[in-house]
Amino acid sequence: MSHTVTSSMNSFLDSARLSIAHQVSRSLAIPLEAARDGVDFGKKGCDFTVAVPRFRLREKPHTLVQKLVSEFQADDYVESIVGDGIFVHYRCHTTKLIRSSLDTIYNLSQPTPTHPYGSYGTNDSGKGRKVVIEFSSPNIAKPFHAGHLRSTIIGTFMSNLFQANGWEVIRLNYLGDWGKQYGMMLQIIIFAPPQIYPGLLAVGYKRYGSEVELAENAIMHLYKVYVAINKDVEQEKQASTEKANEQNKTSVDPGYSATDEEAKLLFRKMEQGDEDSLALWRRFRDLSVKAYEELYNRLNVRFDVYSGESLVSAEGIARAMDTLKKKNLLTTKTLEESRRDRGTEPDGANTTGDAGDNDVPANDELADSASDAPLALAVDLSEWKLGKPVVQKADGATIYIVRDIAGALQRYEEYKFDKMIYVVGDQQDLHVAQFFKILSLMDAPFVDRLEHVNFGKIHGMSTRKGEVKFLEDILDASKEAMLAQMMKNEDKAREISDPSYYSDQVGMTCVKIQDMQAKRIHSYHFDLQRMTSFEGDTGAYLQYAHVRVSSIPRKAAPGLVLRDDPSLIDTSLLIEPKARELVFLLACYPDVVKAAMKSYEPSTIVSYCFRLSHVVSSAWETLIVIGQDEEVAQARLFLFTCTRFVLASSMRLLSLTPVDRM
């Protein structure tokens, strides 16, 4: 079946909306497009509503309402009209609404080569356009913690959403895989010469490294090393500061850390192409990507490209700096300026990485204007109230924002995108604004195609001191909670072929739904107990709703099986108000997908899922299938089958895996 069939202009509700628009256009003598824009979904039992004042016509709204009511003509799509003050409410033709909508849903929910789960709800509005979506972007050699969850699942939702709207989507994971912190890791993980292996390793590794632990769980071991070495740096800086205070700064540099200096030196070696350092770094990166891919598969998340700061070419960085110089955008930044700006600059991370992890210039890397040392280079964005971000340290090394700039230019050359979206937390709002503004000042031809989709924090997370809730542990805990709940009903538990798989899917649904339930800009406190509850609008409740509608064909068989040809089913027997309410909601799904595309809000789809689940629950007692007259039972089974299709589709849009048992 043709993909273009999914166009909204072919749905019953859009045909009804167009019918109403024609009547409003004729009666009020306004353009058809303006009339169509004024036809909204109704409330309080109304299908569509027109608010007459929005047209800003000379006549009084009440007079115009009377005119619309008196000139109304019923047709195949709209059967009645009601005036209500300054509003006009329209009701769709019930019999044809049900017949047309269920046929469309059923037919477009069948698998095709391009749409394995059917194409109902999709459209071709983005056909021929390409979007690059950067999301997740953890730092290598560190476990995936709950703080990465938001970017990962919002980015996955965005990717699914753009794909549902016909766009070609490039899912890109921009790893935090470069910077001084890897010098720190290298300092303590440098392996001893072969003649000493497998006994002792090099000096730093003697304290923290273990090949055995690296083989067992590379990410967790590297993370422990990372935390330990950061602790050493903090202690060394504290000790040198205390000593400097005692000696009045005469012979000791306050805040000095030998480990930190060693890390800088090793990182400079990496930048200069030192093969020993780079070989080990590659090993860390490969181990990290492998571990992340396993977790992404579990989360139902995929990427087309694993990129990273390290893959931004040196030539691209040089060209970016050259452009900044040629356009006279570079200025110097002193230590005094940095101190004034401290607290307004971003923490210093790759755009979606962990704040504070990457190479934001430290005070000693900016240099003092009173000395003869070179000064750091910056771009003055104070005219736009965006501060003065540093692009090159005093020692000549470029930092993360330049790699972001060069990376964007590199991506445009490679993908020729129509849009590029950075799914980045609101902690990085300033950094992203600076990054976009610098590209604009550089006259980048694609700057108007860039978008920042931000989101609030998950409270209670830390990335430096070991106080981290790792996502894998959270998923395991959620899985165990769901498994315990399943095991309470022994009869149902025996029906589940793979309890571990089903409990994992339901558990992940709980985690994701808690995150996507509210507007993405809102922060929230991570609460495992609340998210795994079966009470209220939770992931468990949503999966339960899908399980219920999935169970109907199993329970009805073999006495009742849906006919192969649904056109032989008499849908006019669906006379109950709850049946009409359910069908109308199912028919709204394509419009809900379009609404989400305007706001980039996963909560739009989550709200729809729960609304649909609530209607299913309320219809359970009135739209009984088993034990009914054959024709009535067939009609209701057809309705619930279409309901299952739409609920599953909306869940998949959220990257959830619908289950049929739990």
Side-chain angles (χ1 to χ4, degrees):
M1 101 195 21
S2 172
H3 183 51
T4 56
V5 175
T6 62
S7 169
S8 61
M9 291 305 296
N10 293 293
S11 75
F12 181 89
L13 292 187
D14 271 283
S15 296
R17 185 186 283 111
L18 187 59
S19 170
I20 294 168
H22 275 293
Q23 297 207 34
V24 171
S25 175
R26 285 195 300 268
S27 295
L28 303 186
I30 61 175
L32 179 62
E33 189 64 27
R36 193 178 189 282
D37 290 342
V39 182
D40 300 317
F41 282 114
K43 298 180 180 179
K44 300 178 182 179
C46 305
D47 294 340
F48 291 102
T49 294
V50 173
V52 172
R54 72 177 295 164
F55 300 125
R56 300 182 182 277
L57 301 176
R58 290 185 178 181
E59 293 183 70
K60 293 181 179 180
H62 289 83
T63 302
L64 297 175
V65 167
Q66 293 174 1
K67 181 176 177 62
L68 287 169
V69 172
S70 64
E71 295 181 2
F72 171 76
Q73 294 181 341
D75 58 20
D76 289 342
Y77 302 103
V78 186
E79 64 184 12
S80 64
I81 185 174
V82 174
D84 178 17
I86 60 174
F87 300 98
V88 181
H89 305 302
Y90 295 85
R91 182 178 174 85
C92 293
H93 194 294
T94 298
T95 303
K96 293 178 179 177
L97 163 70
I98 294 175
R99 176 82 264 172
S100 176
S101 297
L102 292 183
D103 284 346
T104 298
I105 293 168
Y106 187 85
N107 290 333
L108 292 181
S109 296
Q110 304 309 308
T112 68
T114 56
H115 294 81
Y117 296 106
S119 59
Y120 181 67
T122 67
N123 63 76
D124 283 331
S125 61
K127 187 175 181 179
R129 289 187 283 179
K130 181 188 297 184
V131 60
V132 175
I133 303 180
E134 176 193 307
F135 61 101
S136 191
S137 304
N139 286 328
I140 69 165
K142 294 178 65 179
F144 199 108
H145 64 74
H148 291 118
L149 177 70
R150 303 218 73 184
S151 178
T152 302
I153 65 174
I154 291 172
T156 295
F157 165 74
M158 292 283 295
S159 300
N160 293 344
L161 183 65
F162 269 84
Q163 190 171 340
N165 282 273
W167 288 68
E168 178 188 352
V169 180
I170 306 295
R171 303 165 189 244
L172 188 145
N173 196 340
Y174 186 63
L175 299 173
D177 61 358
W178 204 243
K180 184 178 66 180
Q181 71 271 26
Y182 301 108
M184 290 183 182
M185 289 184 180
L186 289 171
Q187 177 180 342
I188 54 177
I189 304 291
I190 290 291
F191 297 111
Q195 62 268 28
I196 300 178
Y197 188 83
L200 296 176
L201 300 171
V203 177
Y205 198 72
K206 288 179 183 177
R207 287 185 288 162
Y208 302 116
S210 167
E211 275 289 283
V212 173
E213 290 186 41
L214 194 68
E216 290 177 351
N217 190 332
I219 291 292
M220 188 56 69
H221 180 56
L222 292 175
Y223 176 70
K224 289 178 180 177
V225 165
Y226 174 74
V227 172
I229 199 63
N230 269 285
K231 185 177 180 181
D232 286 353
V233 170
E234 290 177 5
Q235 290 175 345
E236 289 171 6
K237 287 184 175 181
Q238 183 178 353
S240 63
T241 299
E242 291 173 355
K243 192 171 182 179
N245 291 336
E246 292 172 2
Q247 301 179 12
N248 295 321
K249 303 182 181 180
T250 56
S251 60
V252 179
D253 183 9
Y256 175 81
S257 164
T259 301
D260 195 43
E261 291 302 314
E262 183 71 13
K264 294 175 190 175
L265 178 61
L266 283 169
F267 178 52
R268 280 196 284 272
K269 283 186 176 182
M270 291 169 63
E271 288 191 304
Q272 293 164 4
D274 179 71
E275 190 53 40
D276 289 339
S277 299
L278 287 173
L280 191 56
W281 165 80
R282 291 189 196 100
R283 186 183 184 199
F284 292 163
R285 191 183 196 277
D286 291 345
L287 287 169
S288 297
V289 171
K290 181 179 178 182
Y292 291 147
E293 284 180 329
E294 292 175 0
L295 186 57
Y296 287 135
N297 287 336
R298 183 178 180 183
L299 285 167
N300 200 19
V301 171
R302 67 177 179 84
F303 290 95
D304 301 300
V305 179
Y306 279 90
S307 182
E309 293 181 79
S310 66
L311 299 182
V312 178
S313 71
E315 295 79 6
I317 293 173
R319 284 198 301 270
M321 289 300 296
D322 187 54
T323 301
L324 289 172
K325 183 177 180 180
K326 286 180 178 178
K327 290 188 174 291
N328 296 317
L329 295 174
L330 294 177
T331 184
T332 57
K333 186 166 186 176
T334 65
L335 178 58
E336 289 78 9
E337 288 179 297
S338 178
R339 285 170 176 161
R340 287 197 301 269
D341 289 347
R342 199 63 72 179
T344 60
E345 294 284 350
D347 288 330
N350 63 326
T351 50
T352 39
D354 297 312
D357 280 344
N358 284 341
D359 48 350
V360 62
N363 287 344
D364 62 326
E365 295 168 325
L366 289 161
D368 197 312
S369 59
S371 72
D372 294 329
L375 295 175
L377 297 180
V379 178
D380 190 351
L381 303 178
S382 55
E383 179 181 346
W384 300 276
K385 298 181 179 180
L386 293 175
K388 193 174 178 181
V390 172
V391 295
Q392 181 176 292
K393 301 175 189 176
D395 64 4
T398 57
I399 66 168
Y400 62 97
I401 196 168
V402 177
R403 292 193 286 276
D404 287 341
I405 292 166
L409 294 164
Q410 191 170 304
R411 289 179 200 173
Y412 184 66
E413 291 177 4
E414 182 173 358
Y415 299 115
K416 292 295 187 289
F417 53 77
D418 297 281
K419 188 187 294 288
M420 182 158 65
I421 297 173
Y422 295 83
V423 184
V424 185
D426 59 5
Q427 308 99 300
Q428 294 293 324
D429 280 355
L430 177 58
H431 168 73
V432 177
Q434 291 172 334
F435 161 45
F436 285 5
K437 188 62 186 178
I438 292 173
L439 280 170
S440 176
L441 295 174
M442 293 172 67
D443 295 324
F446 55 85
V447 69
D448 59 343
R449 306 180 188 187
L450 304 179
E451 293 186 23
H452 175 202
V453 173
N454 62 359
F455 51 85
K457 290 182 67 175
I458 304 178
H459 289 300
M461 302 299 166
S462 173
T463 62
R464 278 193 179 273
K465 299 180 181 178
E467 301 165 2
V468 179
K469 295 178 181 177
F470 298 128
L471 186 57
E472 192 166 9
D473 294 335
I474 291 167
L475 295 180
D476 288 343
S478 185
K479 172 184 175 179
E480 291 301 318
M482 293 299 101
L483 185 60
Q485 189 72 26
M486 289 180 185
M487 293 299 105
K488 289 180 179 180
N489 189 323
E490 294 182 3
D491 292 335
K492 288 187 177 180
R494 281 192 291 269
E495 296 177 0
I496 301 175
S497 59
D498 189 350
S500 177
Y501 169 80
Y502 283 97
S503 60
D504 195 33
Q505 293 303 323
V506 178
M508 280 188 290
T509 300
C510 293
V511 173
K512 291 181 179 182
I513 287 297
Q514 178 180 253
D515 192 274
M516 294 188 283
Q517 204 160 4
K519 299 288 186 181
R520 54 182 163 76
I521 197 59
H522 295 320
S523 299
Y524 72 92
H525 185 79
F526 196 85
D527 188 340
L528 182 63
Q529 184 175 358
R530 179 169 61 88
M531 77 166 67
T532 55
S533 172
F534 275 79
E535 296 181 4
D537 288 346
T538 65
Y541 174 79
L542 184 58
Q543 286 284 14
Y544 179 65
H546 185 267
V547 168
R548 291 186 83 180
V549 293
S550 299
S551 70
I552 297 174
R554 292 198 304 268
K555 293 178 178 179
L560 178 68
V561 178
L562 189 70
R563 290 170 185 155
D564 292 334
D565 184 358
S567 67
L568 300 177
I569 297 173
D570 186 1
T571 58
S572 67
L573 297 174
L574 295 171
I575 59 175
E576 296 81 5
K578 191 58 67 175
R580 188 188 193 281
E581 179 185 356
L582 183 53
V583 170
F584 190 86
L585 188 56
L586 298 177
C588 288
Y589 179 56
D591 290 278
V592 174
V593 173
K594 291 176 185 174
M597 188 68 176
K598 293 179 180 178
S599 65
Y600 297 163
E601 289 287 355
S603 61
T604 301
I605 304 299
V606 173
S607 296
Y608 176 81
C609 287
F610 281 124
R611 186 180 171 196
L612 184 55
S613 298
H614 295 159
V615 175
V616 168
S617 180
S618 63
W620 204 250
E621 300 300 325
T622 57
L623 298 176
I624 300 171
V625 175
I626 300 173
Q628 304 300 303
D629 172 79
E630 168 74 17
E631 295 304 315
V632 172
Q634 282 285 340
R636 292 177 179 175
L637 182 58
F638 186 35
L639 170 58
F640 281 120
T641 298
C642 291
T643 300
R644 174 170 58 84
F645 288 153
V646 176
L647 181 56
S649 177
S650 59
M651 291 172 70
R652 290 190 188 96
L653 193 58
L654 295 166
S655 79
L656 308 176
T657 300
V659 299
D660 57 1
R661 299 176 189 272
M662 61 183 288

